[in-house]
């Protein structure tokens, strides 16, 4: 036989050879229990145990409040509070800008720094003029159908 084949056969014999693991009582040498094992079984059991341990740990971290203790994860209450505070700060900033503009306008009135604008009456009248021919005032089919539905509902409500 070839050398590689002999090495492969020796390796297979080594990993499939049954060994006995015996647990004994130290004082009486009484056998508590024993296992028949080979290297393949030990490797498979260790792999399955490691996979189960990793899975259980990941599940506990992902679906329990323990994830809040891991850096980078924030609690949902903290996220909601941050959103609410952000909205409040935006509205307060807007109100502050409005108040500043009002105070500036009042200050201008009190100090007499008013800017007088020259107003042309014709331009005001021209800006208010709207040409009605620009707009289409005819009702569409959908609008007519909606009007009929509303009239029918109004009749039904009066009957009740």
């Amino acid at each position: 036989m070839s050398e590689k084949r002999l090495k492969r056969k020796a390796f297979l014999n080594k990993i499939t050879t049954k060994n006995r693991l015996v647990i004994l009582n130290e004082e009486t040498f009484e056998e508590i229990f024993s296992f028949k094992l080979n290297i393949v079984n030990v490797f498979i059991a260790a792999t399955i145990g490691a996979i189960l341990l990793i899975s259980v740990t990941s599940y506990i971290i992902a679906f329990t409040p323990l994830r809040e203790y891991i850096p980078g994860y924030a609690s949902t209450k903290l996220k909601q509070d941050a959103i609410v505070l952000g909205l409040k700060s935006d509205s307060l900033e807007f109100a502050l800008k409005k108040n500043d503009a009002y105070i500036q306008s009042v200050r201008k009135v009190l100090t007499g720094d008013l800017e007088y604008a020259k107003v042309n009456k014709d331009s005001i009248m021209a800006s208010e003029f709207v040409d009605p021919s620009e707009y289409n005032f005819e009702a569409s089919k959908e609008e007519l159908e909606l009007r009929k539905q509303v009239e029918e509902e109004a009749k039904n409500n009066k009957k009740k």
Side-chain angles (χ1 to χ4, degrees), residues 52-64:
L52 285 175
L53 182 66
I54 291 169
S55 300
V56 168
T57 305
S58 299
Y59 179 80
I60 288 172
I61 290 172
F63 298 109
T64 63

Side-chain angles (χ1 to χ4, degrees), residues 93-116:
E93 186 177 340
F94 179 71
L96 182 66
K97 285 181 182 179
K98 272 178 50 178
N99 286 341
D100 285 342
Y102 175 74
I103 290 171
Q104 289 298 325
S105 64
V106 168
R107 185 174 290 148
K108 284 181 181 179
V109 168
L110 292 176
T111 59
D113 294 337
L114 294 176
E115 297 175 3
Y116 297 103

Side-chain angles (χ1 to χ4, degrees), residues 8-159:
R8 188 179 306 140
K9 195 171 189 179
F11 177 72
L12 288 175
N13 283 338
K14 187 175 182 179
I15 64 171
T16 58
T17 301
K18 297 266 184 183
N19 297 313
R20 182 179 289 259
L21 174 68
V22 179
I23 308 289
L24 297 173
N25 186 346
E26 181 72 24
E27 295 175 3
T28 62
F29 295 111
E30 179 184 355
E31 182 177 317
I32 297 174
F33 60 90
S34 66
F35 291 112
K36 285 186 181 177
L37 302 172
N38 59 23
I39 294 176
V40 175
N41 291 345
V42 172
F43 179 74
I44 290 172
T47 304
I48 290 173
I51 291 172
L52 285 175
L53 182 66
I54 291 169
S55 300
V56 168
T57 305
S58 299
Y59 179 80
I60 288 172
I61 290 172
F63 298 109
T64 63
L66 282 177
R67 71 172 170 257
E68 294 175 13
Y69 296 108
I70 296 174
Y73 283 102
S75 69
T76 55
K77 185 179 183 314
L78 184 64
K79 288 180 183 178
Q80 289 172 349
D81 290 346
I83 290 170
V84 168
L85 289 175
L87 292 173
K88 283 183 181 179
S89 67
D90 287 344
S91 63
L92 288 174
E93 186 177 340
F94 179 71
L96 182 66
K97 285 181 182 179
K98 272 178 50 178
N99 286 341
D100 285 342
Y102 175 74
I103 290 171
Q104 289 298 325
S105 64
V106 168
R107 185 174 290 148
K108 284 181 181 179
V109 168
L110 292 176
T111 59
D113 294 337
L114 294 176
E115 297 175 3
Y116 297 103
K118 293 181 180 177
V119 179
N120 187 353
K121 292 180 184 177
D122 293 334
S123 65
I124 293 174
M125 290 180 172
S127 66
E128 292 179 6
F129 177 73
V130 176
D131 186 15
S133 63
E134 294 179 8
Y135 300 102
N136 182 12
F137 293 109
E138 294 181 19
S140 65
K141 292 179 183 178
E142 293 86 9
E143 186 176 354
L144 293 173
E145 291 176 10
L146 179 63
R147 287 180 185 178
K148 286 180 184 177
Q149 286 179 353
V150 170
E151 287 175 7
E152 289 176 8
E153 288 178 8
K155 287 179 185 178
N156 290 338
N157 287 338
K158 285 183 182 178
K159 290 179 182 179

